[in-house]
Amino acid sequence: MKVLQKYYKNIFIFDFNKTINDIPSNFIFLNSLDNLEMEFDIIDISTPSTTHIIVLKSILSKKIVFKKIIIEKPLFSSQDEYNLLLSIFDSYKGLKNKIYVNEQYYSSKALEKFSRSLNFNTINKISIDMSKNRLLDQINGRFIDSNLEAYGIEIPHILAVLDYLKINLDEITIEENNHYIDKNNYNNQGVSIHFKINNIDIFITSFLGDFYVKGHFKIPNNMNRSLCINEDNSINSSLKFDPVQNVERLYTEIRINDSINYLFDNLLDNHYRNIIHDKLPNQYSLEKILIINHLLLYLYKNKNTIYLGD
C-alpha cells in the first residue's frame, strides 16, 4: 500500500478477513464492497494465498469497476483454485488482460543488467537462494501458505528468476526435491531442490526458519538472497539482492568476474510503476505466471519430506 501512495491520492482498504486493527489516517476504510459507484484504477488483492481466487470472484460478482487488478503470488495454491480461475476467465471475457500477478523480479533492473552479461554456452551451474528466518514474522501475524507451505513463499520468486534467465521450465528434470520440517515446530521449514536442464545443474533453496540444510549438515539460518552462476566449476558471476550486508538498503550487488558494482533496485516500486504505466518488461506475462504456478503445485505434490530434530 505504501508503494501505491506514491502514485494515487485516494487509497481504499477493505479487509476480507476482518483482522486489521489500525487503519492509517490517510487510507479510506470500506465497510462493504456493495454498491460502489466508482471506477478504481487498481485493485490490489493481498489476502492469504488460498483466498486469492475466491476474493477475485467476489469482486467480479459485485460488478466493481476497475482498470487493473494486482494479485499477490502465488496466484493459486491448488488445482481446485485453478479450475475456478478458468471458469472466471470463461465468464469474464477480457479479464486476463487486466490481471497482473505481483512478481516483482521481472522488473529488477539489476537482474536485467546481470542477465545481459551471461553466456549460457559456458554455464554449468546456477544456484539461487532466498532464505530468511520468518518465525518472528509468523508470531507477529504474517501468514504462511496453508496449501503450499514453504513452497508458496520464495519459490515462486526463484522460478520467476529462472524464467527471466531463459530457463525453459517445461524442459527441466527434477533430480531432488526436499521439504525440510522441524519435527518440534511445523512452521519451521525449508526447501531444497535440484533441477537439470541440458548440461546445467540448477540448485534452488529457501529456508524460512532458524535452520539451514547444507549437504548433510543442519546449520543456523542466515538471511541470503543470491543468484550465483558457475562456469567451469567456479563462481564467475553473482547477484546479491537487497538487503546486502553492509550496503544501503535497496541496493543490489552485481559481481561479474572480478568486477563488483552496486545498483539501486527497488523491486516493488519498479514493478508497480511498470504496471501503472503499462511498461512491464517483455519477459513478464500471465501465461508465464501460470506455468510457474503449475510447476509450484507439482513440486509441492511430489516433494520428499524430511523431519529434522535436535
Side-chain angles (χ1 to χ4, degrees):
M1 291 299 178
K2 291 181 180 179
V3 177
L4 290 175
Q5 281 183 282
K6 297 175 61 175
Y7 303 100
Y8 294 105
K9 181 179 180 180
N10 296 319
I11 298 180
F12 301 81
I13 294 180
F14 178 76
D15 181 12
F16 275 89
N17 300 316
K18 310 299 181 186
T19 56
I20 299 178
N21 296 317
D22 299 316
I23 303 298
S25 58
N26 52 341
F27 292 162
I28 303 166
F29 186 75
L30 295 174
N31 292 312
S32 172
L33 295 183
D34 295 323
N35 303 317
L36 290 178
E37 296 180 357
M38 64 181 79
E39 180 180 10
F40 293 95
D41 289 302
I42 284 180
I43 294 177
D44 190 337
I45 298 176
S46 47
T47 58
S49 304
T50 53
T51 66
H52 289 169
I53 308 305
I54 295 172
V55 170
L56 173 63
K57 184 177 181 180
S58 177
I59 289 170
L60 295 169
S61 67
K62 295 179 184 298
K63 299 182 179 179
I64 298 173
V65 180
F66 58 88
K67 294 178 181 176
K68 299 170 183 174
I69 192 159
I70 301 173
I71 304 178
E72 275 298 325
K73 57 78 190 165
L75 178 56
F76 51 88
S77 297
S78 69
Q79 186 63 39
D80 286 343
E81 291 172 26
Y82 175 64
N83 293 338
L84 177 58
L85 179 63
L86 290 182
S87 70
I88 291 173
F89 285 151
D90 287 339
S91 300
Y92 297 89
K93 303 302 180 184
L95 180 62
K96 284 184 179 181
N97 298 325
K98 294 184 177 183
I99 286 184
Y100 302 88
V101 174
N102 200 3
E103 184 42 78
Q104 61 262 39
Y105 282 85
Y106 282 103
S107 296
S108 169
K109 296 178 181 178
L111 187 55
E112 177 187 11
K113 180 177 180 179
F114 183 75
S115 63
R116 291 200 302 264
S117 71
L118 302 179
N119 179 359
F120 279 86
N121 293 323
T122 59
I123 293 174
N124 53 41
K125 180 180 175 182
I126 298 174
S127 303
I128 306 177
D129 183 17
M130 292 190 181
S131 295
K132 175 188 177 183
N133 187 341
R134 294 180 180 270
L135 294 180
L136 182 60
D137 291 345
Q138 293 174 24
I139 292 173
N140 292 329
R142 183 182 179 117
F143 55 83
I144 63 171
D145 190 310
S146 57
N147 278 358
L148 296 173
E149 301 177 308
Y151 285 77
I153 307 297
E154 301 288 4
I155 302 300
H157 288 322
I158 295 175
L159 295 178
V161 170
L162 288 174
D163 177 66
Y164 193 100
L165 296 177
K166 300 179 181 179
I167 298 297
N168 190 336
L169 299 178
D170 287 328
E171 294 183 0
I172 58 174
T173 57
I174 302 171
E175 299 290 313
E176 192 172 66
N177 175 23
N178 291 331
H179 183 203
Y180 295 95
I181 301 174
D182 181 351
K183 64 181 180 181
N184 299 311
N185 180 359
Y186 194 83
N187 289 332
N188 197 3
Q189 300 186 3
V191 176
S192 177
I193 303 171
H194 176 198
F195 296 133
K196 280 191 82 74
I197 181 170
N198 300 327
N199 295 318
I200 302 176
D201 283 293
I202 302 171
F203 296 90
I204 69 176
T205 47
S206 177
F207 288 89
L208 305 177
D210 61 10
F211 70 89
Y212 190 101
V213 174
K214 192 168 186 178
H216 298 290
F217 298 96
K218 179 183 176 184
I219 59 178
N221 189 13
N222 293 312
M223 177 182 254
N224 185 27
R225 306 182 76 80
S226 64
L227 161 63
C228 297
I229 303 294
N230 294 60
E231 299 177 52
D232 303 323
N233 297 314
S234 61
I235 297 178
N236 293 79
S237 304
S238 64
L239 194 63
K240 291 184 180 179
F241 293 104
D242 170 72
V244 179
Q245 189 175 7
N246 301 322
V247 176
E248 185 180 347
R249 285 301 308 267
L250 302 180
Y251 278 84
T252 291
E253 178 187 287
I254 304 174
R255 175 178 177 242
I256 301 172
N257 296 320
D258 296 325
S259 174
I260 299 178
N261 294 285
Y262 297 92
L263 179 65
F264 184 80
D265 196 21
N266 189 338
L267 297 180
L268 203 55
D269 187 72
N270 293 346
H271 189 61
Y272 274 87
R273 186 174 61 249
N274 285 339
I275 292 174
I276 290 167
H277 298 296
D278 295 316
K279 292 185 178 179
L280 277 169
N282 294 330
Q283 293 91 333
Y284 176 94
S285 71
L286 184 58
E287 286 71 23
K288 287 188 176 182
I289 294 295
L290 293 176
I291 290 172
I292 288 171
N293 223 140
H294 282 300
L295 178 55
L296 198 62
L297 263 60
Y298 181 84
L299 288 170
Y300 182 75
K301 182 180 179 181
N302 294 279
K303 60 191 171 66
N304 173 42
T305 300
I306 300 173
Y307 288 92
L308 300 175
D310 295 330

